[in-house]
């Protein structure tokens, strides 16, 4: 897979935002990593030091009324973004052509607001 986005920089974006989200009342799960060199099925790891060739980094964020946002960023420049805002509002959000960790961060801010409303606007 082509390396478009530096996942270590994405992890810094997630860590920076996690403080704001926690202050806003959201629960931020541990960041998970997947190693491209690991045998299939590739396990998710929470320790970056055991990952030799990261191909994804992700996090699950939970909020009020059982709202959830799951984001997995892939080094190829796309993310899997799934959310449940409430029982009548859930789905996947578009997340392709991401060019940098900064671009990811800007989109992430919008995904968090989409899932959690003003509660997720901790920036």
């Amino acid at each position: 897979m082509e390396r478009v986005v530096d996942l270590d920089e994405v992890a810094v974006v997630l860590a920076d935002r996690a403080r704001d989200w926690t202050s806003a009342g959201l629960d931020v799960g541990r960041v998970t990593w997947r190693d491209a060199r690991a045998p299939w099925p590739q396990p998710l790891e929470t320790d970056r030091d055991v990952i030799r060739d990261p191909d994804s980094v992700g996090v699950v964020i939970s909020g009020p009324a059982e709202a959830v946002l799951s984001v997995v960023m892939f080094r190829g420049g796309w993310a899997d973004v799934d959310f449940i805002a409430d029982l009548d509002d859930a789905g996947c959000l578009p997340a392709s052509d991401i060019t940098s960790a900064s671009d990811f961060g800007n989109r992430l801010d919008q995904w968090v607001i989409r899932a959690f409303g003003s509660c997720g606007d901790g920036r």
Side-chain angles (χ1 to χ4, degrees):
M1 174 186 322
E2 183 181 357
R3 296 172 195 271
V4 175
V5 178
D6 183 320
L7 296 180
D8 288 307
E9 291 177 5
V10 167
V12 170
V13 168
L14 290 171
D16 287 347
R17 303 262 193 313
R19 289 185 287 274
D20 294 334
W21 297 331
T22 300
S23 294
L26 302 177
D27 181 34
V28 181
R30 294 184 69 183
V31 170
T32 57
W33 296 86
R34 190 175 77 173
D35 192 332
R37 293 186 191 179
W40 185 261
Q42 297 152 313
L44 297 179
E45 302 286 350
T46 56
D47 183 357
R48 171 62 178 93
D49 292 337
V50 302
I51 303 299
R52 295 175 296 161
D53 186 19
D55 73 345
S56 73
V57 62
V59 70
V60 175
I61 306 162
S62 304
E66 299 182 26
V68 177
L69 176 68
S70 171
V71 177
V72 179
M73 180 66 211
F74 294 88
R75 69 184 181 196
W78 71 91
D80 290 343
V81 182
D82 301 298
F83 76 100
I84 302 171
D86 61 43
L87 291 176
D88 297 320
D89 187 12
C92 302
L93 298 173
S96 60
D97 300 320
I98 300 168
T99 59
S100 66
S102 176
D103 182 18
F104 169 79
N106 291 334
R107 295 181 195 213
L108 179 61
D109 293 341
Q110 297 308 308
W111 299 330
V112 168
I113 291 170
R114 174 65 181 90
F116 304 109
S118 62
C119 169
D121 189 14
R123 296 249 6 116

